[in-house]
Amino acid sequence: NPPFGSDFAANFVDPLTIGTSTAVNPYFPMVQGTVWTYEGTFEEDGEEITEVITITVTDKIKLVDGIRCLVVRDVVEIDGELIEDTNDWFAQDTDGNVWYCGEEVRDYETFEGDVPAIPELVAIDGAFQAGRDGDEAGMLLPFAPVVGDIIRQEVSFANAEDTIEILATDGSESVPAATCDGNCLVTRDFSPLDPGVEENKYYAPGIGKILEI
């Protein structure tokens, strides 16, 4: 039973003040106008596929269960074609923890032979909203992570159940755009809905996520 909802609204900051009069979460500095772009490649049927993920912190507000959340847009493209366009709803409490309050998921597919080739909406799987149909808010990232803690990010049972384990706060990693040396937050990301599939994510203080494997 997370302390979330209209009864706890005083525990949350005005998201439009984050980065000005309100301090940011060091691992997810939710400042309006911030854009993170991630690029990676993988093989599929013998072909190299390029995936680009663009995350944008907007200035839009979504009221979720009485809490003002900032809308963060997450767009996934594969070989230049739109695959997913999601609006995530995040809130930050007065302790600096970032809460995951829901998401509006839109999955797209481009079909061979379509002229013009315009992506079509094919699914909204994984969408949820705290306070509706039994869904609850989770915590995206704590302000002061503790090694060994296991945290539910998404709490929509049998629909969206992303979970993280805090592996380290003194990790090191480097990518073309950023580096953390002995101060990187490292997580193990998994979901009971997708057994056997795991990711490691690296967060540089003051920058945010720099790498996922």
Side-chain angles (χ1 to χ4, degrees):
N1 297 312
F4 189 85
S6 55
D7 290 343
F8 301 96
N11 296 344
F12 290 83
V13 305
D14 179 353
L16 296 180
T17 67
I18 296 173
T20 53
S21 58
T22 300
V24 300
N25 179 298
Y27 304 108
F28 191 67
M30 200 164 47
V31 179
Q32 301 163 64
T34 298
V35 179
W36 295 275
T37 302
Y38 305 94
E39 182 174 318
T41 59
F42 59 93
E43 282 197 7
E44 187 175 275
D45 299 329
E47 294 185 12
E48 185 174 82
I49 307 296
T50 298
E51 180 181 61
V52 176
I53 301 173
T54 305
I55 298 175
T56 305
V57 182
T58 77
D59 60 356
K60 297 178 181 178
I61 295 295
K62 169 75 173 179
L63 191 67
V64 178
D65 201 14
I67 304 297
R68 283 166 57 84
C69 299
L70 204 55
V71 178
V72 177
R73 188 181 180 197
D74 187 331
V75 175
V76 180
E77 295 175 298
I78 291 182
D79 286 345
E81 293 186 358
L82 178 65
I83 299 298
E84 182 179 324
D85 190 348
T86 296
N87 285 328
D88 295 310
W89 306 318
F90 298 128
Q92 183 172 306
D93 65 26
T94 53
D95 291 328
N97 306 304
V98 175
W99 291 65
Y100 199 164
C101 311
E103 60 181 336
E104 181 184 28
V105 180
R106 298 182 297 273
D107 293 330
Y108 292 87
E109 187 173 347
T110 301
F111 294 92
E112 185 176 353
D114 284 356
V115 179
I118 298 176
E120 297 179 22
L121 179 66
V122 293
I124 58 170
D125 296 344
F128 75 100
Q129 181 175 317
R132 185 177 63 191
D133 299 329
D135 296 345
E136 300 180 14
M139 186 174 291
L140 182 75
L141 287 170
F143 180 83
V146 176
V147 173
D149 277 1
I150 294 178
I151 300 169
R152 286 189 181 275
Q153 291 183 318
E154 300 176 333
V155 189
S156 178
F157 295 110
N159 175 51
E161 298 186 34
D162 285 2
T163 306
I164 63 171
E165 177 184 6
I166 306 298
L167 296 183
T169 56
D170 58 356
S172 297
E173 256 303 345
S174 182
V175 295
T179 296
C180 50
D181 186 7
N183 62 348
C184 210
L185 169 64
V186 186
T187 64
R188 178 176 71 94
D189 294 49
F190 61 98
S191 170
L193 303 180
D194 208 359
V197 177
E198 296 185 355
E199 295 177 330
N200 287 128
K201 295 182 180 179
Y202 296 79
Y203 298 83
I207 298 175
K209 184 177 67 178
I210 63 171
L211 177 68
E212 64 179 54
I213 300 173

